[in-house]
């Protein structure tokens, strides 16, 4: 159904469609020409604090560690990069920002952060099929009523077109699969007319922070500022955050300059950054749409009605989500008739590798590369939780991951029954805690070195990405495109994304 009017948030006339990866590389060149030092390949692993909780900088991860945590011949310990002021711009669900919020309570009093995940395929199509700069948006189809999401189609240069779909991770559906949703969307006749006789040449995926103004953490601390999606500055209504990220970076740079002139990096002095944000167009844009995303917790149709009311009455309020995304997932029992078994949905996807690639093919098309002989950067905290998770939720990670990082063995049912119900089994009860894990309980070289412990010897793994002898879940971490969905949506928060070694990850050319 075509909208009778074009809603103001979707009026993009006169704007540009750009490749963000190309813009970022170009900006990097401008920075280096201006004398800025850039250190690619050295991911930040840990925030450095002094005894008074002032941020001193970051520590990079170790390099040259094998799959068992042992130093290789090229081992290089992490470097402490100290600074009077550190600006955190890690995008959504940053591992360093998580540490900041946990230690300094920066998210206290804010609404829980919520996320969406977007997946995108770039097609090469016959000449003249779509004009560069053409933009289409849709909402709903093919998602069920209990899950919010929508698509975007962008006409690019050189006969390329980007087709993507964004899915709400606040969904209760245990069978949520963003990649499959994108494939279903492409079956629509309108989309088929655009992509027919074409082929997918690139794929990508990323979570986005859509909690908005109400979920924005404290933006400053002693020696630290936060910008962009890390600071919840994405406009959930427009599904855009690059412009707000740029503006917040400019305001942070102004504040940094003022701090250097005054030689004052205290929490009190840096609070002027928050004042700058509030007085800028960032707040003027984000505050009126602070309730947009939460409207869809009531379903797609009620959400559309409430979103329309907000256009007329920007100050209208309604209940905001009080749960994090992982707590919203319902158990995969047949009593929930709104959930369709994944096998039934997957059977409807055409077997056409050029137009409908599977997850592993799309993982290849993302250009993802990782050093294979390193510890898995996807950390599984408690292997027993995976047995319980399969029993209750049918292991959502095996579906919500856009590139098939997580898999279960063929005899998963037998293993789960033996573990949960066999002699001495751990069992499943209705009062089991949904949230329960300890950060950094796994043998990571940096953690071991800090504790003064020797690097532990491990047995040869029997499943991919194994970190525990009794591990059920296969973790193909070399497929990871760093979307952060697993860190957000695991029902038990049993999976933690940490930075991999070096420059591992996807390599985008058109996205």
């Amino acid at each position: 159904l075509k909208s009778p009017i074009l809603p103001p948030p979707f009026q993009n006339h006169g704007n540009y469609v750009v490749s963000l990866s190309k813009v970022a590389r170009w900006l990097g060149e401008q920075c280096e020409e201006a004398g800025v030092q850039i250190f690619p390949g050295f991911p930040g692993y840990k925030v450095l604090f002094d005894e008074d909780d002032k941020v001193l900088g970051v520590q990079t991860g170790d390099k040259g560690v094998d799959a068992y945590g042992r130093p290789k011949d090229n081992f290089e310990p992490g470097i402490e990069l100290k600074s009077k002021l550190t600006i955190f711009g890690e995008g959504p669900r940053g591992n360093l920002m998580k540490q900041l919020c946990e230690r300094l309570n920066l998210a206290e009093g804010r609404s829980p952060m919520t996320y969406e995940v977007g997946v995108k395929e770039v097609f090469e199509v016959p000449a003249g099929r779509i004009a560069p700069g053409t933009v289409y948006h849709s909402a709903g189809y093919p998602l069920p009523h209990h899950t919010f999401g929508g698509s975007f189609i962008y006409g690019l240069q050189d006969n390329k077109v980007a087709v993507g779909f964004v899915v709400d991770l606040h969904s209760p559906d245990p069978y949520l699969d963003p990649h499959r949703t994108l494939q279903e969307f492409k079956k629509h006749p309108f989309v088929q007319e655009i992509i027919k006789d074409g082929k997918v040449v690139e794929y990508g995926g990323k979570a986005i922070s859509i909690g908005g103004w109400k979920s924005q953490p404290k933006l400053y601390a002693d020696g630290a500022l936060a910008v962009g999606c890390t600071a919840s500055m994405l406009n959930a209504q427009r599904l855009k955050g690059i412009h707000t990220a740029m503006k917040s970076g400019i305001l942070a740079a102004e504040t940094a300059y003022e701090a250097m002139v005054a030689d004052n990096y205290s929490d009190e002095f840096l609070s002027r950054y928050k004042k700058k944000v509030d007085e800028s167009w960032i707040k003027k844009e984000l505050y009126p749409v602070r309730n947009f995303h939460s409207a869809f917790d009531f379903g797609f149709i009620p959400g559309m009605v409430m979103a329309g009311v907000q256009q007329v009455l920007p100050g209208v309020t309604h209940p905001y989500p009080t749960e994090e995304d992982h707590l919203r997932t319902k158990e995969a029992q047949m009593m929930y008739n709104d959930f369709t078994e994944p096998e039934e949905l997957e059977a409807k996807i055409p077997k056409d590798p050029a137009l409908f690639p599977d997850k592993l093919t799309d993982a290849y098309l993302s250009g993802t590369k990782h050093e294979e002989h390193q510890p898995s950067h996807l950390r599984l905290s408690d292997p027993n939780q995976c047995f319980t998770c399969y029993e209750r939720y049918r292991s959502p990670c095996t579906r919500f991951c856009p590139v098939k990082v997580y898999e279960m063995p063929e005899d998963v049912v037998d293993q789960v029954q033996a573990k949960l119900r066999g002699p001495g089994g751990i069992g499943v009860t209705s009062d089991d805690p949904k949230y329960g894990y300890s950060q950094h309980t796994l043998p990571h070289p940096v953690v071991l070195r800090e504790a003064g412990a020797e690097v532990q010897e491990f047995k040869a793994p029997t499943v991919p990405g194994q970190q525990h002898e009794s591990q059920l879940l296969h973790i193909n971490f070399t497929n990871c495109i760093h979307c952060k969905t697993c860190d957000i949506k695991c029902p038990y928060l049993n999976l933690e994304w940490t930075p991999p070694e070096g420059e591992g990850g996807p390599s985008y050319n058109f996205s």
Side-chain angles (χ1 to χ4, degrees):
L1 298 176
K2 185 177 180 180
S3 174
I5 60 169
L6 186 63
F10 294 96
Q11 294 178 7
N12 295 302
H13 305 295
N15 296 339
Y16 291 91
V17 176
V18 301
S19 163
L20 187 59
S21 61
K22 291 182 180 179
V23 170
R25 284 192 285 267
W26 176 81
L27 283 171
E29 294 170 359
Q30 308 309 304
C31 289
E32 289 182 317
E33 289 179 8
V36 176
Q37 291 181 303
I38 298 177
F39 299 95
F42 292 86
Y45 176 78
K46 178 187 175 184
V47 182
L48 302 174
F49 297 93
D50 68 9
E51 60 276 5
D52 297 320
D53 284 342
K54 182 184 186 302
V55 175
L56 299 179
V58 298
Q59 178 179 307
T60 65
D62 289 348
K63 300 184 73 171
V65 180
D66 70 14
Y68 311 115
R70 300 172 303 202
K72 295 187 290 190
D73 292 340
N74 63 339
F75 174 75
E76 295 180 26
I79 302 168
E80 290 189 350
L81 297 173
K82 294 189 175 181
S83 174
K84 294 180 179 179
L85 177 61
T86 306
I87 300 174
F88 294 85
E90 304 176 273
R93 195 73 168 183
N95 66 295
L96 299 177
M97 192 64 183
K98 283 169 62 178
Q99 297 172 34
L100 276 177
C101 289
E102 182 178 340
R103 179 148 176 172
L104 304 179
N105 296 319
L106 298 185
E108 185 177 10
R110 272 64 169 180
S111 295
M113 179 61 71
T114 54
Y115 300 87
E116 293 178 350
V117 59
V119 289
K120 176 172 67 177
E121 291 173 340
V122 178
F123 285 80
E124 192 173 82
V125 296
R129 181 64 56 78
I130 185 171
T134 301
V135 177
Y136 295 108
H137 283 285
S138 74
Y141 175 87
L143 292 170
H145 69 89
H146 53 62
T147 300
F148 174 62
S151 76
F152 55 90
I153 299 175
Y154 295 144
L156 310 178
Q157 290 181 328
D158 303 320
N159 302 317
K160 304 285 195 310
V161 56
V163 180
F165 209 97
V166 180
V167 182
D168 187 7
L169 292 181
H170 217 57
S171 168
D173 192 350
Y175 298 133
L176 186 73
D177 189 331
H179 183 274
R180 187 186 64 231
T181 300
L182 175 60
Q183 306 312 309
E184 290 183 77
F185 172 72
K186 293 186 309 185
K187 290 166 50 183
H188 194 282
F190 180 84
V191 185
Q192 280 291 296
E193 282 299 310
I194 295 175
I195 66 174
K196 68 179 181 180
D197 303 321
K199 65 177 181 178
V200 180
V201 295
E202 186 172 278
Y203 174 74
K206 189 69 177 173
I208 55 176
S209 307
I210 44 83
W213 191 262
K214 285 187 173 181
S215 299
Q216 195 173 91
K218 183 181 175 184
L219 303 180
Y220 57 92
D222 280 332
L225 298 174
V227 299
C229 225
T230 295
S232 189
M233 291 192 183
L234 181 134
N235 183 330
Q237 187 186 60
R238 296 183 61 205
L239 206 65
K240 290 175 171 56
I242 302 304
H243 61 310
T244 48
M246 288 180 171
K247 181 61 176 179
S248 63
I250 292 170
L251 299 178
E254 292 175 358
T255 306
Y257 177 77
E258 293 167 3
M260 286 190 289
V261 171
D263 195 24
N264 188 343
Y265 306 92
S266 67
D267 179 282
E268 181 180 3
F269 187 89
L270 295 178
S271 66
R272 58 181 58 196
Y273 169 57
K274 168 64 173 171
K275 184 178 180 182
K276 290 176 184 287
V277 170
D278 288 350
E279 293 176 349
S280 73
W281 54 258
I282 293 179
K283 182 175 182 178
K284 290 179 182 178
E285 180 173 332
L286 297 185
Y287 187 78
V289 298
R290 64 196 182 281
N291 297 309
F292 174 80
H293 185 265
S294 58
F296 292 90
D297 276 3
F298 303 96
F300 181 75
I301 300 301
M304 291 294 286
V305 173
M306 291 183 184
V309 171
Q310 289 176 28
Q311 284 291 308
V312 182
L313 304 171
V316 69
T317 59
H318 46 72
Y320 201 76
T322 56
E323 293 180 314
E324 296 180 68
D325 293 333
H326 70 284
L327 295 172
R328 292 271 295 180
T329 307
K330 290 185 177 180
E331 295 187 13
Q333 298 177 11
M334 294 309 295
M335 68 177 68
Y336 298 115
N337 296 322
D338 336 358
F339 302 147
T340 306
E341 292 285 349
E343 293 77 12
E344 182 182 336
L345 294 171
E346 288 166 7
K348 299 178 180 179
I349 304 300
K351 306 302 180 185
D352 181 348
L355 294 181
F356 296 89
D358 59 23
K359 285 187 177 182
L360 290 180
T361 302
D362 268 338
Y364 171 78
L365 292 172
S366 70
T368 297
K369 295 179 181 178
H370 291 90
E371 165 58 50
E372 294 190 13
H373 301 292
Q374 63 172 302
S376 171
H377 65 281
L378 302 168
R379 318 301 295 163
L380 176 64
S381 297
D382 182 358
N384 286 331
Q385 291 283 29
C386 292
F387 292 89
T388 308
C389 185
Y390 181 85
E391 179 78 0
R392 287 184 164 181
Y393 306 104
R394 294 296 183 268
S395 302
C397 63
T398 61
R399 291 177 294 276
F400 63 55
C401 174
V403 286
K404 208 167 186 176
V405 166
Y406 303 101
E407 294 182 280
M408 282 294 180
E410 292 183 3
D411 62 342
V412 59
V413 175
D414 294 336
Q415 289 198 48
V416 168
Q417 289 181 347
K419 183 76 172 180
L420 298 182
R421 300 191 182 89
I426 61 176
V428 178
T429 59
S430 59
D431 59 351
D432 278 348
K434 277 190 91 172
Y435 182 102
Y437 79 113
S438 175
Q439 262 193 323
H440 304 311
T441 57
L442 296 163
H444 190 285
V446 174
V447 178
L448 290 171
R449 191 178 72 242
E450 290 169 355
E454 295 183 3
V455 177
Q456 183 181 351
E457 292 285 346
F458 300 101
K459 295 182 179 179
T462 57
V463 301
Q466 186 171 29
Q467 299 152 21
H468 305 270
E469 289 185 47
S470 59
Q471 186 167 324
L472 176 71
L473 183 66
H474 293 201
I475 304 178
N476 305 298
F477 72 89
T478 54
N479 290 350
C480 179
I481 58 173
H482 302 185
C483 70
K484 308 285 186 73
T485 306
C486 57
D487 197 293
I488 297 165
K489 192 58 176 171
C490 171
Y492 293 94
L493 288 187
N494 197 29
L495 293 165
E496 181 184 11
W497 184 94
T498 63
E501 179 181 303
E503 299 177 345
S507 178
Y508 299 138
N509 295 308
F510 308 116
S511 299

